[in-house]
Amino acid sequence: MSGKAKRLNKIVDRSLAIVSFFVIWELLPRLDIVNSAYLSPPSDVVVAIGKLIQNGELWKHVTASLRRSLSGLLLAIAAGTITGLLLGWFKRFERILDPLLQLARQVSAFALFPVFILFLGIGESSKTAIIFWASFWPILLNTVSGTKQVDKLLIDSAKSMGGSQLFLFFRVILPAAAPSIFTGIRLGGAYCITALVAAEMIGSSAGLGFYILNSQEVFQIPDMYAGIILLAVLGLLLNYLLAVIESRFTRWRKGLANNG
């Protein structure tokens, strides 16, 4: 089989499930198997997205959601990676903080939303806080795990060559833990989109979460599903961006794989 045929087969395999899903979705309301008042066919959803683009509403809602999700996620990345590296590298620091962190991570971001509103109001700060809290934990836990799993042989080899603590941290620990850290960041990105919906459903006038809830309240069901699809696309794009960044920071893994 030629390379072109293999690529075509790969594309067909990867698109088969999603195409089947949308075909079934289109048929269910069209054949009156499901009431179209509750499940709009994808063709109507596409029309709703087209109207959003035409009237300029799409950019307003997408930029509002992007601003909130990225601000919360970036804060979570900074706090989660720094704290995780410290916990993974300094055992006493972990012994002191771990009981508190284990307790805190059991508290859902949604359960804390009333607390965030009390302290920060219903503005952007509380929305950023809920996204931060939801995204922080997978980043922290994966960073701790990656730091602890760094091969001792690498550390001992660097020490035997006279490597300083800074050299160990930046040239050995951080690169070796990077794959696990980026796994946490990508999980944090997924959690951030989930928390975004809840954050935007309270005290918002723009954003995809607000648009979904508002469309449901006025019974504009195609618009509601349009918001859901756009939110899924936003999540996919964010995941793709994080995957591209990960591949650039972990190029050495490809080199090891090729040498192996």
Side-chain angles (χ1 to χ4, degrees):
M1 187 181 290
S2 67
K4 190 174 181 180
K6 286 182 179 178
R7 286 195 297 271
L8 183 60
N9 280 341
K10 189 175 180 180
I11 292 170
V12 170
D13 288 343
R14 290 182 66 84
S15 60
L16 185 60
I18 195 166
V19 170
S20 301
F21 170 76
F22 280 106
V23 169
I24 293 168
W25 181 4
E26 181 75 28
L27 290 175
L28 286 174
R30 294 294 182 195
L31 298 176
D32 289 328
I33 298 172
V34 178
N35 192 333
S36 60
Y38 305 125
L39 182 68
S40 302
S43 53
D44 290 352
V45 176
V46 170
V47 171
I49 294 173
K51 289 179 181 177
L52 268 176
I53 295 171
Q54 287 179 351
N55 61 27
E57 290 287 301
L58 177 65
W59 183 245
K60 180 183 81 171
H61 293 303
V62 169
T63 51
S65 291
L66 268 176
R67 184 178 66 252
R68 290 166 184 148
S69 57
L70 288 178
S71 59
L73 180 60
L74 289 174
L75 285 172
I77 290 171
T81 51
I82 293 170
T83 308
L85 288 166
L86 291 173
L87 288 169
W89 186 243
F90 298 105
K91 291 183 179 179
R92 189 179 180 193
F93 186 63
E94 182 189 19
R95 284 199 305 270
I96 294 169
L97 275 189
D98 187 63
L100 176 62
L101 292 172
Q102 291 298 330
L103 176 65
R105 80 185 185 95
Q106 305 306 319
V107 182
S108 165
F110 307 119
L112 284 175
F113 203 19
V115 178
F116 294 145
I117 292 174
L118 282 173
F119 280 91
L120 302 173
I122 61 171
E124 294 301 311
S125 297
S126 59
K127 295 173 179 57
T128 301
I130 191 173
I131 293 167
F132 164 81
W133 187 268
S135 307
F136 172 76
W137 298 105
I139 298 170
L140 173 70
L141 296 175
N142 277 273
T143 302
V144 172
S145 176
T147 306
K148 284 184 174 181
Q149 290 174 9
V150 175
D151 193 339
K152 297 290 184 183
L153 183 60
L154 292 175
I155 298 171
D156 293 339
S157 298
K159 284 180 178 179
S160 68
M161 291 187 290
S164 65
Q165 287 293 321
L166 282 176
F167 177 87
L168 274 173
F169 182 78
F170 286 105
R171 305 295 291 180
V172 179
I173 305 298
L174 198 55
S180 184
I181 292 171
F182 275 104
T183 298
I185 290 173
R186 290 176 69 178
L187 282 171
Y191 278 73
C192 125
I193 295 298
T194 304
L196 172 69
V197 179
E200 290 186 337
M201 285 182 173
I202 299 176
S204 295
S205 59
L208 292 174
F210 159 78
Y211 181 74
I212 292 167
L213 181 64
N214 186 65
S215 299
Q216 184 266 333
E217 287 177 345
V218 298
F219 214 73
Q220 295 292 329
I221 304 305
D223 292 350
M224 182 189 76
Y225 283 108
I228 293 170
I229 293 295
L230 289 169
L231 196 64
V233 171
L234 182 64
L236 283 173
L237 291 175
L238 180 59
N239 183 67
Y240 176 76
L241 174 63
L242 293 173
V244 169
I245 295 171
E246 177 185 5
S247 68
R248 298 207 171 185
F249 277 91
T250 57
R251 284 178 179 173
W252 56 270
R253 296 177 72 193
K254 292 181 180 178
L256 288 177
N258 292 334
N259 291 334

